[in-house]
Each structure stands twice: as structure tokens, then as C-alpha cells.
Amino acid sequence: MTGSTEKFREEGGVAAELIVRARRAVVGGAEVGVTVSVAQGRILAVDAFDAEVDTTRVRVVELADDEVLLPGLVDAHVHVNEPGRTEWEGFASATKAAAAGGVTTIIDMPLNSIPPTVSVAALEEKQAVARDQAYVDVGFWGGAVPGNLPDLRPLHKAGVFGFKCFLLHSGVDEFPHLSAAELREALAETATFDALVIVHAEDGDTIDSSPQPHGQGYAGFLGSRPKEAEERAIALVVEATRETGGRAHILHLSDADALPLIADAQAEGLRISVETCPHYLTLDAEDIPDGATQFKCCPPIREHANRDRLWAGLDSGVIATIVSDHSPCTADLKRFDSGDFGEAWGGIAGLQLGLPAIWTEARERGHSLVDVVRWMGEGPADQVGLTDRGRIAVGSPADLVVFAPDESFTVDVASLQHKNPVSAYAGRTLTGAVRQTWLHGIPVDIEAAPRGRLLRRGQS
């Protein structure tokens, strides 16, 4: 481990197998010095940095002065795409990228793979492919599409963490979107077993009636996905949640104007949560060059003033989580040959870079690593019911990250673990480097056999 001291003690015997000492660590909502004892892949004890602990016959790792110990992060919005579109991304490459970015748990989205995860049989097919390839722990979302209402309860029993749906064309024909009536039916059904419905909330009619995107200008693409599309769709989700008593989560919010609507719903007691993504919090529409289709995503990256208000939504607690919405594709689908935003695939590949991207911006805005861990660790973990993850606590999995918060680097797409060298962050200087990631108390080695586990809802 770069910059750290490792030593072994040979005599005596202790229950712990590993002790990690850090002068700086994010624990219990504060940055403190700690000694973390690990046994059998879980955290056995969390003591003060200078606590006297028995270190006989136990490996001791002491972090360097410029390193901070973080819990492994949880990314609840990742498109792995395997099977079916493995050339876009696969479980091996995605989970290697996650580990390189300090993420030790991902929840895979049900679409862009073929078949999509809309039945138990499709879930089992995906699990079979993932089982021997995962370098971090992997859970799965199910999908809610027209006609699969009877599949939702069996998928829930099979361990999916909830159900994703779209309110407009998803971008792939094998995962059709729900109508307003079908959304209500899905929420009513899932309310009977208290499952979560996660919604791509853009209104199709609004987008269909907007100017269609074409050409190299980003302004034209931005105009094709107006804020009103998000607000109308979110209003529908709020209404349907109120009518059914279901649980709903708004995915990848890009429109800050929708925050008061969500805040009011939350104040009313409706079970509605919302996430946003690093690209909406760190990138500005005004700075996107003509033809730079690596920045295309849906909903779109909006203006700087909108970005400021998304940060205010995090400050207020209306937005509780930051996730990557890692949605990669092959380079040819980004249409760099034409630079046409109307033709290019929409999606940002950012799984490996979410932590440094957010930390670079957060520290400039006066936020701490405690805030970042809350948004990218504890929040997503709690959202999916993995309430012992995303934190350094006794009994939690020993998923740990050695992070150098002051180390800067320039993003080189060729050095990323993502399968395709396409990134909206290419050439950007980011601050904060992941120096090592532990999964279940053992350093992740992407050159060795994978050790990640497949997770089921309710399983830690």
C-alpha cells in the first residue's frame, strides 16, 4: 500500500486477523483517529488511534499521514450490461473499476443487459454470469415493465433490491416504459410487500413535443430534454405514491427546479427519496464543446446555476444520495465521427471516478469527507437496506478504502478499468486518489481471482 507501513507480529494469539490504524478516518459521522480490528471479514472493534490493543500474531497496517480511512462506498445505480451487451461493459471490468474507485458494493440495473431482469429466470441468468467475475459485492435491481406485474413478487422473494421503471422510452426496445396507469399498478402491487420502485422520471409527451436533437451543438440537445419533462414526471410519481402508499425513489435528478416538489412530498410524509449523480454536480452545460458527445446523458447535464441548487438540495437533505448512473457503451455508439448529439448513445461512464470527482467539488464548497461518505456510502446503503455497509462500525463488513484526499491526478481514459476508453472526465484534474481498497478485510487484487459476493435483499 503506497505510503503506508505494514508489519507482522509473531508471538501470542488474538481474535483479530488484521488491525488498521489511521490518524484520520470517517467513523460515526466524524473524522477521528482509529484502530480498526478485523476478523473473518468483519469489523471486530473500533478503538481510538492510540488505544492499546493486542497486536501479537496479527497483521498491522498503519496508514500514512496523508491518508484517510474511509468505508467502502455503495453505488446503487450501475449498468453492467452483461449478458447481452458485454462489449459495452461486463461484471469483471465494472467491478474492477468499482474497486479502483473505492466502491465495494454495486447494485446492477435491470436493463441494457439481454435479457433484462424482469423475471426470476432472467435474474438467475444474470447471477450465473456474474458469480465468478465479481471483484466487489454485487446486488441486482429488478425491472417493472408492461405485462410483468405477476413477476414482481417472485423477483422480490428472489432477492432483488427493488424495481426500476421508465416513464418514457428507455433507449432499448426490450425494456419498455410504463404508462401512468401502469406506474400506479406497480406501486400498488409493490406496496403489498413494501418494495421500492425506482423511477427514471422524464415525461415522454413533453420530450416528444420539444425540438428534436441534431447536430454538434450541446444547446440543441439540452433544449430537447427540458426541465419540465422531469417536473411533470416527478409530479406523477408523487401523485401515484400518495394514492397507493408505495415507496418511490427518483433516479438521477438533474433539474433543481423539481426540488421543492420533492421536499413538499417528503414533508407530507410520502415515502419518496431522490438521488443525483457526480456529472450533474461537477459539470456545466456552458462548458460542453460542440461535438463532445461523451457528455450526453438523459436527463442532461444542465447549467452552472442549476448545479449550485443541486448542491443546495444535498445541503438541505432533500437529496440523500449520490450514485454514478454508470451507463457505458462502445466508443462507436458515441458517434465521435459525426459529433451528432441526436445520434449518440446517452450515458456517462463514471463508476471509477465518482469519489474523486465529488471530493474535488465538495471540498471547494466547504464540505468534508464526512459529507461525502454520507452521500456515497451510508445513504445508498440505507436506501437498499444494506444498513451495515457504507460505514466503519462494529459488525459491518470490513470493506475499507485508503484515500489520499490531497493527491491530484489527470484523468487518462486508457488507465481506467472501464471496458471502453470513453469518459466525460477525460483530461480533467481531480483531487483525491484511492490507494487501496479492502473487500471483506482483504486487499482487492484485480490481477487475482475475484472474491466478490452476490447479494440478496436482506443479506449483509
Side-chain angles (χ1 to χ4, degrees), residues 15-58:
E17 300 160 358
L18 167 71
I19 290 175
V20 182
R21 292 189 185 272
R23 292 169 180 82
R24 298 174 61 191
V26 175
V27 179
E31 188 175 300
V32 295
V34 296
T35 296
V36 178
S37 300
V38 174
Q40 298 180 340
R42 290 193 172 269
I43 296 174
L44 181 69
V46 181
D47 297 301
F49 174 75
D50 56 359
E52 293 186 7
V53 296
D54 187 353
T55 58
T56 54
R57 291 193 176 276
V58 61

Side-chain angles (χ1 to χ4, degrees), residues 231-433:
E231 291 156 28
R232 289 169 184 165
I234 290 169
L236 170 62
V237 175
V238 170
E239 178 187 0
T241 303
R242 183 183 294 118
E243 291 176 2
T244 62
R247 296 169 57 209
H249 177 77
I250 305 299
L251 298 167
H252 46 49
L253 182 74
S254 82
D255 171 26
D257 287 350
L259 285 169
L261 175 63
I262 299 168
D264 288 347
Q266 292 172 342
E268 183 184 335
L270 301 181
R271 297 191 295 170
I272 292 182
S273 55
V274 60
E275 70 188 31
T276 193
C277 305
H279 40 281
Y280 301 130
L281 294 165
T282 65
L283 304 174
D284 295 332
E286 295 94 332
D287 297 333
I288 296 176
D290 287 352
T293 53
Q294 66 268 31
F295 292 93
K296 179 180 177 179
C297 57
C298 301
I301 296 164
R302 301 191 187 276
E303 301 85 355
H304 181 86
N306 180 85
R307 175 159 70 95
D308 285 342
R309 287 184 290 122
L310 288 176
W311 280 98
L314 285 164
D315 290 341
S316 70
V318 175
I319 303 173
T321 57
I322 301 173
V323 294
S324 69
D325 188 13
H326 179 68
S327 185
C329 66
T330 54
D332 61 300
L333 292 178
K334 278 297 188 181
R335 293 307 306 269
F336 294 125
D337 56 341
S338 67
D340 191 317
F341 278 94
E343 298 176 348
W345 172 261
I348 302 288
L351 177 56
Q352 184 170 334
L353 298 172
L355 173 57
I358 287 297
W359 174 236
T360 301
E361 184 72 21
R363 72 186 306 185
E364 291 295 321
R365 293 174 178 267
H367 291 289
S368 69
L369 283 170
V370 173
D371 297 323
V372 173
V373 166
R374 184 175 69 253
W375 296 326
M376 304 183 76
E378 295 173 12
D382 291 349
Q383 175 201 330
V384 299
L386 295 171
T387 54
D388 61 352
R389 295 183 180 234
R391 65 208 77 203
I392 297 173
V394 174
S396 291
D399 299 340
L400 304 168
V401 175
V402 179
F403 186 64
D406 299 320
E407 181 179 331
S408 296
F409 66 97
T410 300
V411 176
D412 174 7
V413 293
S415 70
L416 299 177
Q417 296 298 323
H418 304 159
K419 180 165 287 189
N420 291 283
V422 177
S423 174
Y425 302 100
R428 291 175 68 91
T429 298
L430 301 179
T431 302

Side-chain angles (χ1 to χ4, degrees), residues 96-118:
K96 287 179 180 181
V103 176
T104 52
T105 302
I106 66 169
I107 313 296
D108 171 64
M109 282 290 163
L111 74 156
N112 297 349
S113 58
I114 301 173
T117 316
V118 295

Side-chain angles (χ1 to χ4, degrees), residues 154-169:
L155 275 165
H156 181 73
K157 289 182 178 179
V160 300
F161 285 84
F163 301 95
K164 182 175 186 177
C165 68
F166 279 73
L167 300 180
L168 79 172
H169 194 280

